[in-house]
């Protein structure tokens, strides 16, 4: 998919703007806090029906404004001159948002996920290494849900069963009904096994691509690993869940299941969290996200995902920046949105290729085009 035109009204600190975008590289430069990341967040919202940074919809509406509107017009390929998809979302304070595809509102937002696949690399990705296991599970869920429609349904049914079982475990006035516990445990096990298989297959396919990207960026300076850890690896999930039912009753929640799955990140055989420098951690996350991009390109709707690169060069040495520049400037990637406070990085990217590009300057939520270039091969 190619985002041709982006319209924004009252989104975070952006008042009103309409952007005609390059089919290849769109660069947003400006000082910290200017609104560069907010532009990328609009692009993200149009793919995932939510902000990347704030799950509360009303908080993306600009201060002192009653509503906001965002719209993206997409084409199938860089060569297409006609829009094939128009995605829009409008929301008023205190009211339900309206998310539409070609002016028709979705009955369920989950129906939209995967139509416009997207991968974002941002400073908050360090939480994948430093944060809890829920961050790493979310990473798996975000990718798998973009190419497997049934995955979200399995997650919803599993989480419903988990919540019901936890409610029973928390009962203080009497012992929970064993028959009811059995029902919810069986649903947890059935849905959990489905989730496990999809996560396992995804990670198995991701690992070699991820390691190849890391080696390319680091110039073979260190070895990295990625390991999926799940209670499902201990045997049938129903047995694992029921084995410690008394312990679960004592603590008041479920200690076993795919809601405790994790990914282990390693550097030269040691946990990344303990061993990695800031530059190595950032390289790890970027390689992981580029591998996700590669994966989605081959699986999600048979279309090249959008790639959002938010302030990715900070804390990286010149060699690693150079390798990332070479990668994203290549033919493997489709449309790219990139932010930076440093014009030098962007000039380095753009001078290394003959790609189409547009540069926008962002200040206090206002966007203005600076310069653009059209490749003779890509210009339509």
């Amino acid at each position: 998919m190619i985002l041709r035109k982006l319209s924004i009204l009252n989104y975070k600190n952006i008042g009103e703007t309409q952007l005609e975008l390059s089919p290849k590289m769109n660069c947003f430069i400006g000082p910290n806090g200017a609104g560069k990341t907010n532009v990328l967040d609009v692009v993200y919202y149009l793919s995932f029906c939510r902000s990347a940074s704030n799950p509360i919809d009303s908080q993306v509406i600009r201060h002192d404004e009653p509503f906001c509107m965002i719209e993206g017009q997409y084409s199938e390929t860089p060569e297409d001159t006609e829009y094939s998809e128009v995605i829009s979302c409008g929301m008023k304070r205190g009211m339900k948002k309206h998310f539409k595809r070609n002016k028709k509102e979705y009955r369920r937002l989950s129906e939209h996920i995967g139509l416009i696949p997207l991968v974002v690399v941002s400073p908050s990705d360090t939480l994948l290494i430093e944060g809890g296991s829920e961050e790493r599970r979310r990473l798996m869920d975000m990718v798998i849900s973009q190419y497997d429609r049934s995955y979200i349904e399995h997650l919803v049914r599993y989480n419903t069963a988990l919540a019901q079982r936890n409610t029973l475990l928390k009962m203080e006035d009497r012992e929970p009904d064993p028959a009811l516990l059995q029902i919810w445990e069986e649903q947890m096990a059935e849905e959990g096994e489905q989730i496990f298989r999809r996560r396992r297959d995804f990670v198995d396919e991701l690992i070699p691509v991820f390691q190849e990207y890391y080696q390319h960026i680091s110039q073979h300076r260190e070895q990295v690993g990625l390991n999926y850890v799940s209670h499902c690896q201990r045997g049938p999930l129903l047995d694992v869940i029921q084995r410690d039912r008394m312990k679960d009753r004592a603590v008041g929640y479920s200690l076993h299941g795919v809601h405790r799955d994790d990914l282990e990140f390693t550097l030269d055989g040691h946990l990344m969290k303990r061993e990695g420098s800031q530059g190595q951690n950032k390289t790890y996350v970027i390689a992981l996200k580029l591998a996700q991009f590669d994966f989605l390109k081959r699986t999600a709707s048979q279309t090249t995902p959008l790639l959002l690169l938010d302030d990715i060069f900070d804390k990286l040495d010149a060699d690693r920046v150079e390798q990332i520049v070479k990668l994203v400037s290549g033919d493997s990637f489709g449309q790219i949105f990139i932010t930076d406070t440093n014009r030098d990085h962007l000039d380095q990217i753009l001078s290394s290729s003959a790609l189409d590009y547009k540069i926008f300057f962002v200040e206090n939520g206002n966007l203005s085009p600076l310069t653009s270039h059209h490749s003779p091969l890509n210009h339509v």
Side-chain angles (χ1 to χ4, degrees):
M1 281 287 189
I2 301 296
L3 179 54
R4 292 289 185 178
K5 187 174 181 179
L6 185 63
S7 301
I8 307 171
L9 179 63
N10 298 334
Y11 192 92
K12 296 188 177 179
N13 77 329
I14 301 172
E16 182 174 6
T17 191
Q18 289 195 345
L19 304 178
E20 300 280 350
L21 298 165
S22 162
K24 181 58 184 177
M25 187 85 73
N26 295 279
C27 309
F28 301 89
I29 65 168
N32 289 324
K36 303 184 300 297
T37 298
N38 293 342
V39 180
L40 269 56
D41 199 49
V42 172
V43 179
Y44 182 97
Y45 204 115
L46 292 170
S47 282
F48 291 106
C49 310
R50 63 179 295 273
S51 165
S53 59
N54 194 335
I56 303 172
D57 284 324
S58 62
Q59 293 182 5
V60 306
I61 302 174
R62 194 181 190 203
H63 291 312
D64 302 323
E65 296 292 345
F67 70 96
C68 82
M69 284 284 300
I70 55 175
E71 181 181 274
Q73 299 181 12
Y74 299 81
S75 64
E76 291 289 338
T77 68
E79 293 75 29
D80 290 340
T81 55
E82 298 295 323
Y83 302 128
S84 59
E85 300 285 351
V86 178
I87 307 300
S88 63
C89 182
M91 61 190 95
K92 293 181 179 179
R93 294 192 187 278
M95 298 181 67
K96 174 178 170 286
K97 66 185 173 190
H98 297 279
F99 204 96
K100 299 179 180 180
R101 176 184 180 186
N102 298 325
K103 299 184 179 180
K104 183 178 180 181
E105 187 162 359
Y106 281 101
R107 289 188 302 112
R108 293 185 302 169
L109 295 178
S110 60
E111 296 172 1
H112 178 69
I113 308 302
L115 178 70
I116 306 165
L118 179 149
V119 173
V120 58
V121 186
S122 74
S124 65
D125 290 332
T126 55
L127 285 174
L128 289 169
I129 295 172
E130 300 163 359
S133 59
E134 66 275 7
E135 300 290 341
R136 296 178 284 278
R137 285 192 297 275
R138 188 178 299 118
L139 176 143
M140 292 189 283
D141 295 343
M142 289 295 286
V143 179
I144 299 170
S145 63
Q146 289 187 74
Y147 67 86
D148 186 338
R149 293 271 174 161
S150 66
Y151 185 74
I152 295 177
E153 303 301 325
H154 289 302
L155 277 176
V156 169
R157 289 194 290 267
Y158 178 87
N159 288 329
T160 298
L162 172 64
Q164 294 290 341
R165 183 177 190 263
N166 285 347
T167 298
L168 292 173
L169 293 172
K170 288 187 179 80
M171 290 175 61
E172 296 180 358
D173 54 341
R174 65 184 188 278
E175 282 300 309
D177 184 341
L180 269 180
L181 273 175
Q182 179 78 19
I183 289 171
W184 295 120
E185 287 166 351
E186 287 177 355
Q187 183 169 324
M188 277 180 67
E190 181 181 349
E191 302 299 337
E193 295 277 8
Q194 294 285 347
I195 293 166
F196 165 72
R197 283 194 285 272
R198 286 161 172 78
R199 287 176 176 173
R200 179 196 60 198
D201 292 347
F202 163 64
V203 174
D204 285 348
E205 194 168 338
L206 189 74
I207 288 171
V209 182
F210 153 67
Q211 290 176 325
E212 185 177 338
Y213 273 122
Y214 190 97
Q215 291 303 312
H216 186 103
I217 296 170
S218 71
Q219 295 292 279
H220 303 273
R221 291 179 197 162
E222 53 260 345
Q223 298 291 322
V224 289
L226 178 63
N227 184 37
Y228 175 39
V229 181
S230 175
H231 290 145
C232 288
Q233 294 156 338
R234 301 180 183 179
L237 186 54
L238 184 59
D239 294 347
V240 175
I241 292 170
Q242 293 183 333
R243 197 177 299 155
D244 282 324
R245 187 190 276 180
M246 293 305 294
K247 190 182 293 185
D248 291 358
R249 176 78 173 117
V251 298
Y253 56 88
S254 303
L255 291 166
H256 296 90
V258 296
H259 62 287
R260 310 281 289 207
D261 284 1
D262 204 353
L263 291 171
E264 286 183 348
F265 298 164
T266 61
L267 176 72
D268 293 331
H270 303 285
L271 284 179
M272 196 84 197
K273 185 184 292 189
R274 298 176 190 157
E275 297 292 324
S277 67
Q278 287 184 320
Q280 288 168 330
N281 287 352
K282 191 144 192 178
T283 303
Y284 193 104
V285 169
I286 291 171
L288 195 60
K289 291 299 187 78
L290 294 182
Q292 289 176 39
F293 180 95
D294 188 272
F295 189 91
L296 284 172
K297 185 178 177 181
R298 290 181 280 114
T299 55
S301 307
Q302 302 301 304
T303 185
T304 303
L306 305 179
L307 180 61
L308 277 52
L309 304 174
D310 188 14
D311 192 24
I312 67 166
F313 299 119
D314 184 42
K315 298 183 178 68
L316 290 177
D317 60 49
D319 288 342
R320 295 187 188 224
V321 169
E322 182 181 357
Q323 297 309 317
I324 294 169
V325 166
K326 288 179 180 177
L327 281 171
V328 300
S329 301
D331 295 334
S332 300
F333 294 91
Q335 190 178 27
I336 298 170
F337 297 80
I338 187 166
T339 72
D340 207 315
T341 56
N342 188 336
R343 176 69 186 261
D344 293 341
H345 288 147
L346 297 181
D347 286 339
Q348 184 182 357
I349 293 173
L350 301 173
S351 65
S352 66
S353 68
L355 299 172
D356 277 47
Y357 66 81
K358 286 191 175 183
I359 301 177
F360 301 90
F361 182 69
V362 187
E363 188 171 29
N364 296 324
N366 298 309
L367 287 91
S368 52
L370 284 183
T371 185
S372 63
H373 173 264
H374 298 290
S375 163
L377 297 177
N378 296 328
H379 186 45
V380 291

